[in-house]
Amino acid sequence: MKTIDTRGRLCPEPLIMTRRAIAQGAPGDEFEVLTDNATACSNLRSYLTELGIAFRAESRPEGDAIRFTLSDVPAGAGAAAPEPVCDVQPPKAAGATGDYCVVVASDRMGRGDDDLGRILLRAFINSLGEAERLPGHILFYNSGINAALEGSDTVEALRGLQARGVEILVCGTCLDFYGAKERLAVGTVSNMFKITEVVTKAGHAVYP
């Protein structure tokens, strides 16, 4: 069995290390991924599920362990695809979204007065639903995650966008850093690997 020890590493490193090991593996190879980070464990579970790889998760005193075997997996998950990509996406409303993404990296918009910046960001998010062409994704990281938390006056607008097919991804490492994971009101907990993938594949990215 091959052990991938990601303990002490934050996302997206555990995901990247696992992806590389899968790319270099062959059908029948057995792997064990060790992690002591709850967000990394959740992201690894989602990644393996998207690839169609069955796994077994175990809780241990020194951290969680995820075991899986590369056998009878979808084409492209092993050595034949050095850069396996998760292409599974939730269904979207027909014609609802465009080929761009919106990246919210702060809890304010523009530079200058902070209070004004927060007002502008709120207005931007609440107005986005009126755009002729919606984004395919909205990405939140650093203090930008505040817009997706309970109590934010942008949550309802974001829920409306999500219902119309816009995928909302919120950085799990950022939620952990700010101690806000339990307050997430809209969107999916994600990781920097996935966020980077979305940004690089989008037709263009909008940074309000």
Side-chain angles (χ1 to χ4, degrees):
M1 179 179 293
K2 300 179 181 179
T3 299
I4 308 165
D5 192 349
T6 73
R7 289 173 296 183
R9 299 175 184 268
L10 298 177
C11 281
E13 283 191 86
L15 189 63
I16 292 173
M17 292 169 66
T18 302
R19 183 197 64 176
R20 288 174 178 170
I22 290 175
Q24 296 169 2
D29 284 351
E30 294 184 352
F31 293 87
E32 179 179 66
V33 184
L34 304 178
T35 177
D36 54 7
N37 182 279
T39 298
C41 184
S42 175
N43 290 330
L44 286 165
R45 289 169 181 250
S46 297
Y47 181 59
L48 294 173
T49 299
E50 288 183 357
L51 286 180
I53 299 176
F55 60 88
R56 183 173 74 254
E58 303 174 356
S59 293
R60 301 177 180 176
E62 68 275 17
D64 292 328
I66 296 178
R67 294 190 179 193
F68 60 92
T69 302
L70 281 185
S71 58
D72 299 324
V73 299
E83 294 294 335
V85 176
C86 302
D87 288 326
V88 178
Q89 300 290 342
K92 299 180 179 180
T97 59
D99 63 347
Y100 72 100
C101 67
V102 172
V103 182
V104 182
S106 174
D107 62 354
R108 66 209 70 175
M109 184 175 181
R111 298 179 180 178
D113 185 86
D114 289 347
D115 290 336
L116 174 61
R118 294 186 182 94
I119 292 171
L120 294 176
L121 181 63
R122 181 172 67 243
F124 175 84
I125 293 175
N126 288 331
S127 300
L128 193 55
E130 303 302 317
E132 181 177 343
R133 187 163 58 97
L134 300 180
H137 298 79
I138 305 178
L139 315 175
F140 292 94
Y141 57 80
N142 212 315
S143 61
I145 67 171
N146 287 316
L149 300 183
E150 293 176 354
S152 171
D153 52 8
T154 53
V155 167
E156 288 307 312
L158 291 172
R159 285 174 175 164
L161 290 165
Q162 186 172 253
R164 295 170 64 186
V166 179
E167 186 174 7
I168 297 174
L169 303 178
V170 184
C171 171
T173 299
C174 304
L175 289 167
D176 286 341
F177 181 86
Y178 288 109
K181 183 168 288 185
E182 299 301 319
R183 295 170 51 213
L184 184 64
V186 61
T188 301
V189 177
S190 189
N191 57 80
M192 197 51 64
F193 174 74
K194 178 66 175 179
I195 289 173
T196 301
E197 183 180 66
V198 170
V199 172
T200 56
K201 286 187 174 184
H204 65 278
V206 175
Y207 293 80

